[in-house]
Amino acid sequence: MNNQVRHVFFCAIVVAFGGFIFGLDAALISGTVRFISAEFALSDLQIGAVVSAPGFGVLFALLITGFICDKYGRRQALLIISFLYILSAVASVCAFSFEMLVTARFVGGLAFTSLSVAAMYIGEIAPPKLRGKLVAMIQINIVIGLSAAYFANYMILQVSQMEADWVYALGLDTHTWRWMLGIEIVPAVIWLFLLVLIPRSPRWLVMNNRISEATTVLHQFLTNQEVEKELEQIQHSVALGDKHTLSTMQAIKAMFGSKMRKAALIGLTMGVVQQITGINAIMFYAPTVFEQVGLGTNAAFFQALIVGLVSVLFTVAAVLLVDKLGRRPLVIYGLAAGTISLFMCHYAFSHATYMLTPEQISSFANEHSIASMHNMLNTAFSSDIEFKNQLQSVIGVEEFRRHEGQLMQMATNVNANMILIGVMGYIAAFHFSIGPVMWVLFSEIFPIAIRGTAIPMFALLASIVSYLVQQFFPWQLSHMGASNIFLFYAISGAIGFVILFKIMPETKNKTIEEIELDLDSTKNKVSVA
């Protein structure tokens, strides 16, 4: 490996590390839900607001990120993003109210565009033969960040339960959730300093007529013989883009015209199905989801850690196999497997029962100094909603939220193995298929003239659906119950499967022009004189 290739890898690794920060920021909140809810006495919708605030913030960021990247450069945009991550993490740790915490996490959401900016930067510095692997590092870093968040939450929870003077001195027992959110500060600061070491994008420099600077940067990534050729290609590509790129309204009109209708339907279906099947409800509320199985808080945090490891394993497998097996098999079979897994969860929860024995009630009431719970004696509930509502009426909402994990562990009678297999099966299927493959498809199915409008638009659609799923999951859990939530996710997956099975072509080893021809909705129409 020569010095130029090493430098490409160094810059790509530094930029892709933003994916790790994203995954960490997104998943750390999962371990804090129970603590934050108790400390600030939050309602279901307020809990949803805390978790989904970054998803709301990114909707605004997506509208201006392109302008910042073009005006000030990709590297400057990444530096701004890294500072926002630090500001958000520090403000979250110091939050003294629900409103401040939501605001702090909203600021973090403004930084979530790190994924698209990182992909843009790496795509512009990497040689063609390395581009796919280097861009794929972003997705791998995301799931590693998610896994690291679950691991950090689990370890902090375990430490917070230790009876040691240093635990009390550091406030780990009383400020557990603040320590969880504070984990992000260290890697975010490291990323900020590392970003200072990378150069500007040569393509951005050419776009701004800074040719000599672009040449200097290219010498860091390519041999002397390759620099002149690459510079000519960049100049030609920039000129071609300026010539063929349509205005936003022209691009939208072309996208939904008869010729591109099939591509638009694929983009619409992928953007919605990727999120509406509940991936972020499970990833961002993982301990809460597993508490519904009756595992208890500690075991629920441990299962969340397993979710992270499964995510890493199957994302790596997808990246390695997407060019060998093809896009269509991964999406179709993965979506089918994920839908079946969600139906398994629905079936198991629909047959669950909930009952507290006299011994359990007596023990719990004595342990937590709670008044008589005789109304719960030997009463079997077939619905988690009925059970929770009855408990809240007996011991109060705040006490229920504080001890929900323990109460669900005592009362739940459910096929836990089926649910665990179903959840892990869905996580594996998602990260092996529609998770990473959606972005590959987006880069292939839209012609260059509308790509600049189409990809951000469908990415925005996916972000909106993701925000809604995160915001309303706690409310759905309280009003729909676990069984109906998983049924909704499963039906959504089944609808997406039918649509994509009918219209999605294979794009492996095809040029953009060949894919465009395959997706031309007018090519099979016979004109009638």
Side-chain angles (χ1 to χ4, degrees), residues 345-354 381-382 413-415 418 483:
C345 295
H346 157 68
Y347 178 84
F349 274 120
S350 68
H351 288 75
T353 58
Y354 308 85
F381 298 87
S382 59
N413 179 24
V414 68
N415 189 337
M418 179 179 286
S483 174

Side-chain angles (χ1 to χ4, degrees), residues 3 35 51 149-150 178 187 209 251 277 291 323-324 341 398 407 445 454 478 495 529:
N3 289 333
F35 301 102
V51 174
Y150 296 136
R178 297 182 190 274
N209 295 315
T277 50
E291 281 184 354
D323 288 325
K324 294 181 180 180
S341 298
E398 290 187 17
L407 289 164
I445 64 176
S478 295
I495 294 172

Side-chain angles (χ1 to χ4, degrees), residues 357-375:
T357 66
E359 293 77 14
Q360 290 173 328
I361 290 175
S362 177
S363 175
F364 178 83
N366 291 333
E367 179 183 353
H368 300 290
S369 301
I370 293 176
S372 174
M373 296 170 58
H374 66 275
N375 289 345

Side-chain angles (χ1 to χ4, degrees), residues 190-490:
I190 293 173
W191 192 43
L192 173 64
F193 283 105
L194 288 174
L195 286 172
V196 176
L197 304 178
I198 67 171
R200 289 183 177 274
S201 160
R203 182 181 178 86
W204 180 83
L205 292 169
V206 171
M207 288 169 62
N208 288 270
N209 295 315
R210 295 161 65 169
I211 308 301
S212 61
E213 292 179 64
T215 304
T216 302
V217 171
L218 286 172
H219 276 290
Q220 299 178 36
F221 300 129
L222 303 169
T223 62
N224 293 334
Q225 295 80 5
E226 296 171 321
V227 168
E228 185 175 347
K229 180 180 178 181
E230 181 68 16
L231 186 60
E232 289 179 0
Q233 289 180 340
I234 293 175
Q235 289 175 310
H236 175 71
S237 176
V238 169
L240 191 65
D242 291 341
K243 179 180 179 181
H244 291 286
T245 300
L246 303 176
S247 69
T248 300
M249 291 309 298
Q250 289 174 324
I252 292 175
K253 185 177 179 180
M255 195 187 321
F256 292 100
S258 58
K259 188 173 183 178
M260 291 302 302
R261 193 170 294 150
K262 187 180 289 186
L265 182 56
I266 292 172
L268 178 67
T269 304
M270 289 292 290
V272 173
V273 169
Q274 195 211 43
Q275 295 298 326
I276 206 169
T277 50
I279 184 62
N280 284 338
I282 295 175
M283 299 298 284
F284 296 173
Y285 293 94
T288 303
V289 171
F290 288 117
E291 281 184 354
Q292 308 310 304
V293 185
L295 295 179
T297 301
N298 287 340
F301 271 76
F302 180 75
Q303 289 298 327
L305 174 59
I306 302 301
V307 164
L309 297 176
V310 171
S311 302
V312 172
L313 177 63
F314 281 88
T315 298
V316 171
V319 169
L320 295 176
L321 294 174
V322 67
D323 288 325
K324 294 181 180 180
L325 299 180
R327 286 67 158 146
R328 180 179 167 87
L330 260 62
V331 169
I332 298 302
Y333 292 116
L335 194 51
T339 300
I340 292 171
S341 298
L342 291 169
F343 268 117
M344 287 174 58
C345 295
H346 157 68
Y347 178 84
F349 274 120
S350 68
H351 288 75
T353 58
Y354 308 85
M355 187 178 74
L356 291 170
T357 66
E359 293 77 14
Q360 290 173 328
I361 290 175
S362 177
S363 175
F364 178 83
N366 291 333
E367 179 183 353
H368 300 290
S369 301
I370 293 176
S372 174
M373 296 170 58
H374 66 275
N375 289 345
M376 304 294 298
L377 281 176
N378 291 326
T379 303
F381 298 87
S382 59
S383 164
D384 55 336
I385 298 177
E386 293 176 3
F387 174 71
K388 292 176 183 178
N389 288 342
Q390 182 66 22
L391 265 176
Q392 290 178 28
S393 67
V394 172
I395 66 174
V397 175
E398 290 187 17
E399 286 293 334
F400 170 75
R401 291 192 186 282
R402 188 174 292 113
H403 306 295
E404 182 176 354
Q406 181 182 359
L407 289 164
M408 294 300 291
Q409 182 180 16
M410 291 191 301
T412 304
N413 179 24
V414 68
N415 189 337
N417 289 333
M418 179 179 286
I419 294 173
L420 294 178
I421 292 171
V423 170
M424 296 303 173
Y426 168 70
I427 294 295
F430 177 90
H431 286 99
F432 190 68
S433 60
I434 55 176
V437 177
M438 184 182 82
W439 301 106
V440 177
L441 280 175
F442 280 4
S443 70
E444 295 176 332
I445 64 176
F446 300 114
I448 190 170
I450 66 170
R451 188 176 302 169
T453 299
I455 295 178
M457 188 176 79
F458 288 113
L460 178 63
L461 173 66
S463 297
I464 291 172
V465 178
S466 174
Y467 163 71
L468 293 174
V469 168
Q470 297 170 53
Q471 168 66 57
F472 290 105
F473 177 77
W475 182 90
Q476 287 179 306
L477 195 59
S478 295
H479 293 79
M480 293 173 58
S483 174
N484 288 329
I485 290 176
F486 279 103
L487 178 61
F488 172 76
Y489 294 157

Side-chain angles (χ1 to χ4, degrees), residues 171-189:
L172 278 161
D173 59 325
T174 54
H175 299 294
T176 309
W177 68 269
R178 297 182 190 274
W179 279 94
M180 289 177 177
L181 296 182
I183 290 292
E184 182 184 347
I185 297 174
V186 174
V189 170

Side-chain angles (χ1 to χ4, degrees), residues 134-151:
L134 294 180
V135 173
M137 287 197 306
I138 300 172
Q139 183 67 28
I140 294 173
N141 268 274
I142 292 172
V143 291
I144 291 175
L146 290 168
S147 185
Y150 296 136
F151 177 79

